[in-house]
Amino acid sequence: MPQLNPSPWLMILLLSWTIFLFFIPTKVITHIFPNKLIPGAKNTFTKTPWTWPW
């Protein structure tokens, strides 16, 4: 049965796990956010009541 032959599938499995474990996390970790967060800046929104039209 060809499904039990690990020769082609083992290399595909190892290569895909290598990509998932080594290359993708480094790309995610080195991601730079375009906006810097300032912890002291808070936006104050004014709350106005909504008058219902009916």
Side-chain angles (χ1 to χ4, degrees), residues 4 7 10 18-19 24 29-31 33 35 46 49 52:
L4 297 178
S7 176
L10 184 64
T18 303
I19 290 172
I24 292 178
I29 288 173
T30 59
H31 179 72
F33 291 102
N35 297 330
T46 59
W52 295 87

Side-chain angles (χ1 to χ4, degrees), residues 1 8 12 20-21 29 37-38 40 51 53:
M1 293 185 355
I12 293 172
F20 286 139
L21 290 177
I29 288 173
L37 295 177
I38 301 171
T51 57

Side-chain angles (χ1 to χ4, degrees), residues 10-54:
L10 184 64
M11 284 308 295
I12 293 172
L13 177 77
L14 292 177
L15 182 65
S16 63
W17 274 105
T18 303
I19 290 172
F20 286 139
L21 290 177
F22 292 110
F23 296 120
I24 292 178
T26 56
K27 287 205 169 276
V28 171
I29 288 173
T30 59
H31 179 72
I32 298 172
F33 291 102
N35 297 330
K36 299 278 184 185
L37 295 177
I38 301 171
K42 292 184 179 178
N43 295 336
T44 57
F45 297 106
T46 59
K47 297 179 182 177
T48 56
W50 185 22
T51 57
W52 295 87
W54 60 83

